[in-house]
Amino acid sequence: MALEGASMANKTVIIAVVNKAYTEGDKPMLDMFLDGFWLGEDTRQLKNHLLVVAVDQTAFERCRFLGLHCYKLKTEGGDFVGEKVYMSEDFIKMMWQRTRFLNEVLRRGYNFVFTDTDVLWLRNPFPRLTLDGSVDMEISVDNFNGDQWSERNLINTGFYMIKSNNKTIALFDEWYGRRNNSAGKKEQDVLLDLTREGAFRRLGLRVRFLDTIYFSGFCQDSRDVHVVSTVHANCCRRISAKVADLTAVIHDWKRSFNISAAGNQTMEFRWSPHSACRNSWIS
């Protein structure tokens, strides 16, 4: 019912997963995420197709309060309420629970765009994605190597679009099946291993790796603010640092319009430095 309520006509859903830590603070990460849909170009209607998956009761109640499509995920083992610091044991457990749930979405015949809530949607990304069914999966990368079909790109599971079919379900089965034999690795690392081992080719999957000029992040800024669709607070360790630097991204985004409106061709646009995220690895 949750999927049907959020689905587009072509059975595609936008999915984000949150816990209590993403709904707390002076500026919760979930609220920051929703700001992108409000401020972005041609993004407001996309919120109607967003399904927020809550892993605890507080996150679920906050989601309902915000009037979103919400689903309470029953999780197995672990406490998923507080902030899960990058690569901690509970962080890794939560990522695997997410993978299991997303596999179930595919099995029910729904395509989806998965997005972390630390991804700002500044423009409607769908015009930059392949919607004719010729590509099984399109996934963001930390650093784009210039070739959208190269499996040497360093994938990031914080933003990807995937089509529901037997091949993608087989990929998720194999991916989730490795969870108990991948100690110390998050699900993204395991998917990267599968990529390096040729799993995409073996399963007959056509996978496109997204150019950071359109689907950018803090690891590699977009080279053109006038075409960027999403900005991901990757290469960052803590929620507070992500919120601080994403706030700067929103200010940059607004500033870019002022530069364009003024017709000032001599003023070069530059993204603000992601200082809080850089320092999050030190503290």
Side-chain angles (χ1 to χ4, degrees):
M1 288 177 61
L3 289 166
E4 186 177 354
S7 178
M8 301 175 191
N10 63 354
K11 290 196 77 173
T12 299
V13 183
I14 302 165
I15 297 177
V17 176
V18 298
N19 70 350
K20 181 182 178 182
Y22 284 77
T23 66
E24 294 182 320
D26 293 336
K27 182 66 175 182
M29 180 65 78
L30 179 58
D31 292 38
M32 174 76 69
F33 174 61
L34 296 174
D35 283 349
F37 287 91
W38 173 255
L39 296 168
E41 289 185 10
D42 192 30
T43 51
R44 291 186 185 180
Q45 80 284 358
L46 296 178
K47 188 173 78 74
N48 299 327
H49 304 293
L50 170 66
L51 177 62
V52 174
V53 179
V55 299
D56 59 65
Q57 188 62 26
T58 300
F60 180 67
E61 290 173 5
R62 177 65 178 168
C63 176
R64 294 288 297 272
F65 175 78
L66 291 169
L68 304 169
H69 295 289
C70 312
Y71 179 74
K72 173 75 181 300
L73 180 64
K74 294 180 180 177
T75 56
E76 299 172 359
D79 166 24
F80 299 116
V81 174
E83 178 176 359
K84 303 307 165 200
V85 176
Y86 184 74
M87 290 307 292
S88 66
E89 184 179 349
D90 275 347
F91 173 88
I92 292 171
K93 284 181 181 178
M94 193 162 75
M95 295 304 100
W96 282 118
Q97 292 280 3
R98 182 176 88 180
T99 304
R100 181 177 64 85
F101 169 77
L102 294 173
N103 191 3
E104 184 64 24
V105 173
L106 292 177
R107 288 181 172 278
R108 290 172 184 264
Y110 285 88
N111 318 305
F112 63 82
V113 174
F114 177 80
T115 175
D116 279 342
T117 52
D118 62 350
V119 178
L120 284 177
W121 290 42
L122 298 178
R123 285 186 177 87
N124 185 339
F126 287 98
R128 300 289 182 186
L129 297 170
T130 307
L131 305 178
D132 62 5
S134 62
V135 176
D136 298 298
M137 184 178 187
E138 298 175 89
I139 189 165
S140 64
V141 299
D142 284 344
N143 292 278
F144 184 63
N145 70 7
D147 181 357
Q148 64 180 346
W149 305 109
S150 170
E151 294 180 358
R152 291 187 175 276
N153 280 295
L154 193 62
I155 60 169
N156 190 303
T157 53
F159 182 95
Y160 62 94
M161 182 172 182
I162 191 163
K163 180 182 171 186
S164 173
N165 58 38
N166 290 336
K167 293 178 290 184
T168 56
I169 292 169
L171 173 67
F172 267 69
D173 284 346
E174 190 169 338
W175 185 11
Y176 185 67
R178 289 201 179 189
R179 70 195 182 282
N180 294 325
N181 299 315
S182 305
K185 290 186 177 182
K186 60 184 181 300
E187 38 64 70
Q188 179 175 292
D189 299 330
V190 175
L191 184 60
L192 183 61
D193 289 345
L194 286 168
T195 305
R196 298 286 192 259
E197 293 166 16
F200 293 163
R201 294 188 299 279
R202 174 168 47 79
L203 294 171
L205 287 159
R206 194 157 187 254
V207 179
R208 177 175 170 242
F209 303 88
L210 298 171
D211 192 335
T212 51
I213 193 172
Y214 306 115
F215 300 91
S216 71
F218 292 173
C219 299
Q220 185 175 50
D221 288 323
S222 171
R223 306 183 302 280
D224 190 346
V225 70
H226 302 295
V227 299
V228 66
S229 292
T230 60
V231 177
H232 185 189
N234 51 11
C235 289
C236 194
R237 194 160 177 260
R238 294 191 177 275
I239 293 174
S240 58
K242 291 171 183 280
V243 170
D245 285 347
L246 286 175
T247 300
V249 167
I250 289 177
H251 292 161
D252 290 344
W253 171 249
K254 292 178 178 178
R255 178 166 53 85
S256 73
F257 285 102
N258 294 334
I259 293 172
S260 299
N264 191 337
Q265 301 301 318
T266 61
M267 187 182 295
E268 181 183 357
F269 173 85
R270 290 186 180 179
W271 297 102
S272 297
H274 314 303
S275 304
C277 282
R278 186 168 60 246
N279 293 334
S280 71
W281 297 97
I282 302 169
S283 55

